[in-house]
Amino acid sequence: MKNKSKRKKIKQQKKRVQPSVNWPKEWLYLNEKEITPEDFLKVFPEGGPLELQVWKEAGVIEVELPCGKSIDMEWGEPDLGEETGNAFLEGKNTKALYYVTVVPESFEEARTAMKTITEMLGGGFFGDNKDFQPQIYKKKNSPSLSMET
């Protein structure tokens, strides 16, 4: 009898330990500079802690995370096809845009890689939704990264 009640308590605790933010699966990586897939090779050099696959001609990048999941990035023209989105891109002076997919369950590991990208290449990650939240970026003239939810 006691084991059943302990299992029930453990299940309840696991349910309560959900992150306070519902991380999106789809993101946008924006940069004020022209960033090519080759530029990501500088961020994650061969033999480093994260594996990187780059398909230059297709404009596709895959960052393999330690958990076995990946961050998938695909280059796109800086045009979201609608007025509000394009105004946001203009406000960020966007020259490079990548569509990013992250498995939400692996977000903590993905966030580390995303921060590394923004530290090395600049730009930022923005939720691919109507309010572009959450955001991961490096503030101008600041040595630290910001994350807004």
Side-chain angles (χ1 to χ4, degrees):
M1 242 352 144
K2 281 187 176 183
N3 284 341
K4 285 184 180 181
S5 64
K6 280 187 179 181
R7 281 189 218 146
K8 188 175 180 180
K9 282 182 183 179
I10 290 171
K11 282 184 180 179
Q12 288 174 341
Q13 287 175 342
K14 283 184 179 178
K15 287 180 183 176
R16 278 188 245 141
V17 182
Q18 296 298 321
S20 60
V21 175
N22 188 14
W23 302 111
K25 180 179 180 178
E26 305 294 328
W27 293 75
L28 301 171
Y29 172 70
L30 310 177
N31 202 306
E32 295 177 343
K33 300 177 280 189
E34 292 285 340
I35 301 293
T36 65
E38 294 88 6
D39 292 322
F40 288 89
L41 293 170
K42 298 172 195 162
V43 177
F44 302 108
E46 197 170 319
L50 299 177
E51 292 289 322
L52 185 71
Q53 299 287 326
V54 176
W55 293 271
K56 296 174 189 175
E57 297 79 25
V60 174
I61 302 155
E62 180 182 81
V63 180
E64 295 178 28
L65 302 171
C67 66
K69 306 285 188 209
S70 66
I71 300 172
D72 298 320
M73 302 177 71
E74 185 174 345
W75 178 86
E77 289 289 336
D79 180 0
L80 296 177
E82 47 97 13
E83 194 175 321
T84 306
N86 286 338
F88 182 78
L89 295 180
E90 283 182 33
K92 296 290 181 191
N93 198 23
T94 302
K95 301 278 188 294
L97 177 140
Y98 285 82
Y99 295 95
V100 180
T101 303
V102 176
V103 177
E105 297 81 40
S106 66
F107 183 74
E108 289 307 315
E109 287 184 7
R111 180 170 57 179
T112 301
M114 293 161 88
K115 286 181 177 181
T116 301
I117 291 168
T118 59
E119 287 173 346
M120 300 283 290
L121 298 177
F125 289 88
F126 303 86
D128 189 2
N129 50 47
K130 65 180 179 185
D131 60 356
F132 302 100
Q133 295 292 328
Q135 300 180 1
I136 300 172
Y137 60 93
K138 186 171 181 177
K139 286 187 177 179
K140 292 185 190 291
N141 303 321
S142 173
S144 62
L145 289 168
S146 295
M147 181 152 181
E148 295 179 8
T149 55

